[in-house]
Amino acid sequence: MAAKPVPSTDTKTLGGFVRDSVEPGSAVYAEGSGPYGYLWEYTHEAVNLSAGEYVRYAVHTSNIEGFWSLFECGYCGIHPWMTTKHLHRYLNEFSGRAGICSIDTMEQMEYMIRRMVGKTLTNKRLTV
């Protein structure tokens, strides 16, 4: 899963994010056509949540809504002092968690520890 702060939700910005994050030929599911409808290199399907349509066959936005719900819980719970400056770090953390949620807890811990080896984030670098 990919998530990052974007300066705008206009067609150009979101289209660029999708093109940078999603392989051509993949299915892109969204709420309404919005800025995604012109991404011709993807299969685009949309549900209309405002009309009470939450799922149509395999088309739904439940996964991304679940991700944002967990992110919001993280903000309200363990990271209540998120700042715009470090928002990309929090999004990386939650995206990483979402990417490994289907594996066993011990495997998740081993994965995280392997990824931390050789990484140092000093307070100076964090606050500059």
Side-chain angles (χ1 to χ4, degrees):
M1 171 172 286
K4 73 174 190 176
V6 293
S8 170
T9 56
D10 63 17
T11 299
K12 182 179 179 183
T13 303
L14 292 181
F17 174 73
V18 170
R19 286 190 174 101
D20 290 345
S21 307
V22 181
E23 290 187 34
S26 298
V28 175
Y29 298 156
E31 176 190 354
S33 60
Y36 306 104
Y38 78 97
L39 297 169
W40 309 119
E41 62 268 44
Y42 303 96
T43 301
H44 175 258
E45 298 272 351
V47 290
N48 188 349
L49 299 181
S50 60
E53 180 186 40
Y54 300 101
V55 63
R56 184 179 354 90
Y57 305 106
V59 180
H60 63 84
T61 57
S62 297
N63 294 6
I64 193 61
E65 288 183 30
F67 171 81
W68 288 120
S69 177
L70 289 174
F71 186 75
E72 183 178 0
C73 288
Y75 173 74
C76 293
I78 59 174
H79 301 299
W81 297 283
M82 283 186 197
T83 62
T84 303
K85 176 180 177 182
H86 298 292
L87 186 57
H88 66 286
R89 297 183 200 284
Y90 295 107
L91 287 169
N92 284 343
E93 175 188 344
F94 280 85
S95 295
R97 288 183 188 191
I100 62 171
C101 69
S102 62
I103 62 175
D104 170 87
T105 303
M106 289 304 292
E107 290 177 282
Q108 288 182 26
M109 292 171 65
E110 290 170 5
Y111 174 84
M112 296 300 285
I113 291 168
R114 280 193 307 273
R115 305 263 306 160
M116 288 190 288
V117 172
K119 308 277 182 174
T120 304
L121 180 60
T122 63
N123 190 52
K124 182 178 180 179
R125 184 170 157 231
L126 188 63
T127 56
V128 169

